[in-house]
Amino acid sequence: MSQHRPVPRLDLAPKLKRPLSLWNPLDYLRLLYWVFYFPQALRWYVDTFGGGYIPPKEMNWRKGLELLRQNLVQRQLLIQGLMLTIVIPVAFCGLLQQIGFEIDWSHVALGVALGVAGGLGLGVAGAVALGVAGGLGLGVAVGVAGAVALGVAGAVALGVALGVALGVAGAVAGAVAGAMAGAVALGVALSVALGVALSVAVGVAVGVAGGVAGGVALGVAIWRPENWLIGSLLNLRHLQNRSWLFPRITLIPIPYLGLRLQNWLEQDWEKGLHNINQLLAYTLQFIPVVKSVNLVLAKAPSEQLIWRISRLAETPFDWELLRFCSASLNAVFKSNAVEFFFLFPRHWRQQLQANFITDTRLDTPARAAAAGFWHLHEKEPAKATEAFAVVRSLLYGEELFTLAQILTTFNEAKEPAKIATLEAPSTPNEPLLHPLTWNTINALRRVVEDARVVQRSVSRSTRSFALNRALGELETILNHIETLPEAERELIKDIAQTWQDALLQIAAEIGDISITKPVTNPYVVGDPVEGNRFVGRDDILRQLEELWVMGQQLQSVVLYGHRRMGKTSILLNVANCSGSRVKVVYINLLRLGSPQGVGEVLMAISDAISDAIGCPPPDDDALLNLPYRTFERYFKQVVETLRETSLQGLIIALDEFEKIEELIEAGKIPNDFIGYLRGLVQMNSQVAFVFAGLHTLEEMTADYFQPFFASVIPIHVGFLQPAATRQILANPSLENPDATVSDVPDNEAVDFPLDYIPDALDIIYRFTAGQPYLVQLVGFQLVRRYNDFVFEQEHSRDPVFTVEDVEAVIKNTEFYQRGRYYFDGVWGQAARGVSGQQEILKVLAPHPDGLIIEQLRVRLAELFRESGLATLEEKQLEEALETLKRHDVIQQKDEYWQIIVELFRRWVLNQ
């Protein structure tokens, strides 16, 4: 069985360990070699020793002079280049004069001057390359006198000068391999066109020979066949990693290079990409590189395709490589070559170019994926969306399609009002190809949320803090922009800068605020939240609206969730979603105390109904003596009242419905009570029940709720989402603000005058997991701490809560004392029902990241052994884990069981 040779790691960069010296003659020879045989070394030298390379599009006289003033290495390089530009043409022309040519030294000086001037606008590396090569060619061409000499020697010299300057030195100035298709086409076109032009121009004086010589010289200078020939002979068996004769400047493909690249990429994609970037950086072998990459990608497994192209796009030396993984390199060559036939009329060239398709192609998955990355880099997210749509079914395809969609939407928003209306798709599920990008997308989503507050709020304080948060998020994005993948980096940078400029334009009209009195605490701890303070449950309210307002008949519902999740708040605010034609009656069964019979329960329900719709309740004695019969008659009156008042329906909300089972078990109410309520609902479709509690009906230990099993709709009340948590904390409503903010017009509402940095909001969510009671408690304690520090202790501080503030609050023992209702409630519930729940929590508490099931079994066994108790059976363990999971106490994440709420974990740890 044959084995592949290990993939070599190419290192084609120069091996110079020090800057060039003005006083070392060998360094001038090295520089001369670089100019004519290794021009990429000039860019490397500037990057390595000279403080960085400035692309020619960004270079100008001011930047050039400033760079020379500040950088000794680049200043010395320019001096060395100027010396070579002057000395070499003079020496060469002196040699020509010795062998019989007549030299006009004033013209030599003119040619040298033109060579120097032509390079200065390209930066130091470009100036040296173009100046030396151009100075030599122009100096010789202009300085040689005589008709024959001008025709032959001049044409050859000009051909060499233009070939080196345009084909090699110009490539250095432009980033060597960038737009290599254009460089190749330029070489072909200029070889022919200038050859023809020179033949016509000097053919009368010197015959065809001079013109042909010029054209041949230009073609030789661009294609450099001698470099290819020598380099190919020395690199047939394997590439000479450190050979000074490695072919750096020939466009002709090196023999077997494409085959080698294919083998390397197939064996080791990462090392193959490194070698490709080395070839692009230090040679002109763009054509075999493009062909090899395309061939390997065409054969790549579908599950690896997008990942491979993403690695290709991670740090490519030349982004044109991504372009030509989709577009046709051959078509671009031909189109560019036509453009340089400047002797043809322009409309002729345009007609010829129309025959060549140079756009990206989406006809294969590999081409579509490469096109997507290319268009992201070119800041064309709409085209990227179209390209990624082709590969949505592949691994990571949906992620990139969604990313392109979001960036398209974000890129179109230029004004604050437009930003505030943006609705972006949610983040795809893990694993993610670009997790850092999605963190940035989430930050931009937070900017959208704050922009929405800026646009919609009538409170100047709320608008001011929202604006500051948004600007802070954008500043953070821009400060860390270099950490993002290169494909989408510049596009996201443009979006962030555009949004930043748009929001800064409205900063002046919002103004600043000052706090002169203790801040009214808007957070509600323990009690139900009502009115404007009730936020974050839009999804549940929307479901209830669909069941009660949009449906044909009212549907009974059970709201279930763990303690302090906000079920009571939902019931008290549910009327806001039910409309004026559906009345909601709220009964908290815990307030019944210890009723002596079912009549007292029905009495509480009757009183609540009477308050809601104005139907007088039945006599108390009648309910106590004949409860079922009396309430049934009253129920018929209620239905009639609904019809007379044109009400659509009545919702009877029973909070803490587990109390019913307790009363049945205690013998206070009959076993058929739930069946009786179900019978009432069946009498009329205008009445429905809402049961709110810890369990679903199916989870109840007895069959008392069996009559409702088939008809009730369970709705889970879980943790708040991050956006809802952020809204509750950063934009709470002050029902009675008492003018805590100065300089606010009387007709302008006053909102919460304190703010949070984004990291503080994030850490609160991490500590609470969006548990509503704890979120409110953290906010409550933060406001108390602020008022005490500023108005009691009379210290000065910014009205912005930080991570340090949050950590100070949760480390205070007062926080856990105030939160004991939640902590004790969850802990006490774990002691009921399936055994082993509390023991599981004790074992998990020391491990924030959780334990896998095998580790959990071992530690539970140790705990039970130390306690002298019997170890849990496997079935008991599974039931205990499932119960805690169903009650939102623990979760299984990547095979690890962990406590969901970090604050509860810490509380358990300290018990």
Side-chain angles (χ1 to χ4, degrees), residues 298-510:
K299 297 184 291 185
S302 59
E303 67 274 10
Q304 296 182 16
L305 179 61
I306 293 180
W307 176 83
R308 288 193 179 191
I309 297 177
S310 74
R311 299 302 301 163
L312 181 64
E314 190 69 26
T315 53
F317 178 79
D318 184 3
W319 268 93
E320 292 288 320
L321 178 59
L322 269 296
R323 176 191 176 192
F324 291 117
C325 285
S326 178
S328 169
L329 181 63
N330 185 45
V332 173
F333 277 172
K334 295 175 181 177
S335 178
N336 289 347
V338 169
E339 182 64 30
F340 289 109
F341 278 94
F342 48 81
L343 295 180
F344 291 176
R346 182 173 182 80
H347 68 278
W348 287 11
R349 284 177 280 157
Q350 291 177 342
Q351 290 177 359
L352 288 173
Q353 288 176 317
N355 297 321
F356 308 120
I357 301 175
T358 59
D359 293 334
T360 52
R361 297 170 293 181
L362 311 180
D363 52 340
T364 68
R367 289 172 177 173
F373 282 101
W374 165 256
H375 288 302
L376 281 181
H377 179 262
E378 295 300 297
K379 306 178 187 178
E380 299 170 336
K383 291 184 178 180
T385 303
E386 181 184 358
F388 286 131
V390 178
V391 293
R392 289 182 69 178
S393 61
L394 302 185
L395 181 63
Y396 303 119
E398 185 65 30
E399 173 192 346
L400 293 174
F401 173 76
T402 305
L403 175 62
Q405 268 190 322
I406 293 174
L407 292 178
T408 300
T409 304
F410 285 179
N411 193 49
E412 293 172 351
K414 309 295 183 183
E415 302 296 333
K418 179 65 174 177
I419 296 171
T421 62
L422 294 178
E423 295 289 344
S426 59
T427 301
N429 297 326
E430 295 183 352
L432 296 172
L433 190 63
H434 289 175
L436 292 178
T437 299
W438 286 107
N439 291 339
T440 303
I441 294 297
N442 290 333
L444 290 173
R445 284 194 178 105
R446 293 193 290 270
V447 173
V448 171
E449 294 171 9
D450 285 323
R452 196 170 292 138
V453 173
V454 171
Q455 290 293 309
R456 298 177 182 177
S457 177
V458 295
S459 166
R460 193 169 70 187
S461 59
T462 300
R463 297 180 70 203
S464 176
F465 285 129
L467 179 63
N468 289 335
R469 285 195 302 272
L471 291 174
E473 291 277 14
L474 293 171
E475 187 67 25
T476 301
I477 291 172
L478 292 173
N479 288 340
H480 297 86
I481 199 68
E482 294 301 323
T483 64
L484 298 181
E486 193 172 335
E488 61 264 28
R489 181 189 303 163
E490 291 302 316
L491 177 57
I492 292 177
K493 181 179 179 181
D494 284 356
I495 292 171
Q497 288 177 335
T498 300
W499 289 13
Q500 186 181 58
D501 293 341
L503 294 175
L504 283 173
Q505 292 176 3
I506 62 174
E509 71 179 65
I510 294 177

Side-chain angles (χ1 to χ4, degrees), residues 66 79 119 144 179 208 216 236 254 359 411 456 503 555 567 629 658 671 714 747 763 786 808 840 855 878 897 902 907:
E66 182 65 20
I79 294 172
V144 175
V208 179
V216 171
L236 277 178
I254 300 172
D359 293 334
N411 193 49
R456 298 177 182 177
L503 294 175
Q555 178 70 54
K567 299 182 294 295
R629 184 62 177 167
E658 287 88 355
N671 293 358
N747 61 350
I763 199 172
Y786 174 86
I840 290 174
Q855 296 170 327
E878 292 178 0
W897 289 96
E902 171 64 15
W907 182 87

Side-chain angles (χ1 to χ4, degrees), residues 739-751:
T740 60
V741 181
S742 65
D743 300 328
V744 178
D746 293 336
N747 61 350
E748 185 174 301
V750 179
D751 267 354

Side-chain angles (χ1 to χ4, degrees), residues 728-740:
I728 289 173
L729 290 167
N731 302 304
S733 173
L734 284 171
E735 300 275 342
N736 298 297
D738 296 327
T740 60

Side-chain angles (χ1 to χ4, degrees), residues 589-635:
L589 296 178
L590 292 181
R591 296 177 184 172
L592 295 177
S594 299
Q596 298 304 309
V598 70
E600 294 183 43
V601 176
L602 294 175
M603 192 182 301
I605 297 175
S606 300
D607 290 342
I609 293 174
S610 176
D611 293 340
I613 66 173
C615 182
D619 181 70
D620 290 350
D621 292 336
L623 275 173
L624 293 175
N625 294 327
L626 294 171
Y628 282 178
R629 184 62 177 167
T630 302
F631 189 81
E632 184 176 336
R633 290 176 177 175
Y634 177 66
F635 186 79

Side-chain angles (χ1 to χ4, degrees), residues 531-546:
N532 294 333
R533 299 183 182 185
F534 178 74
V535 296
R537 295 300 188 184
D538 295 341
D539 54 338
I540 294 177
L541 296 181
R542 193 178 302 112
Q543 291 183 63
L544 295 177
E545 181 181 7
E546 292 173 355

Side-chain angles (χ1 to χ4, degrees), residues 82-254:
L82 291 174
M83 293 179 65
L84 285 177
T85 304
I86 296 170
V87 171
I88 297 301
V90 171
F92 190 70
C93 286
L95 178 62
L96 290 177
Q97 189 176 45
Q98 291 296 319
I99 62 177
F101 285 90
E102 183 179 349
I103 302 297
D104 186 335
W105 289 99
S106 63
H107 290 173
V108 172
L110 175 61
V112 170
L114 291 174
V116 172
L120 288 179
L122 298 175
V124 175
V128 171
L130 186 57
V132 173
L136 172 60
L138 291 171
V140 173
V142 178
V144 175
V148 175
L150 178 62
V152 179
V156 172
L158 272 174
V160 173
L162 290 172
V164 173
L166 294 175
V168 179
V172 174
V176 181
M180 189 56 60
V184 174
L186 175 62
V188 175
L190 285 181
S191 296
V192 178
L194 285 183
V196 174
L198 285 170
S199 297
V200 174
V202 300
V204 175
V206 301
V208 179
V212 173
V216 171
L218 182 59
V220 168
I222 290 179
W223 289 95
R224 301 304 294 268
E226 87 292 349
N227 185 255
W228 172 84
L229 181 60
I230 297 174
S232 298
L233 293 175
L234 294 174
N235 291 273
L236 277 178
R237 295 188 60 186
H238 56 85
L239 297 183
Q240 301 293 325
N241 211 8
R242 297 175 179 269
S243 173
W244 64 275
L245 287 176
F246 191 92
R248 314 276 186 172
I249 53 174
T250 179
L251 299 169
I252 307 173
I254 300 172

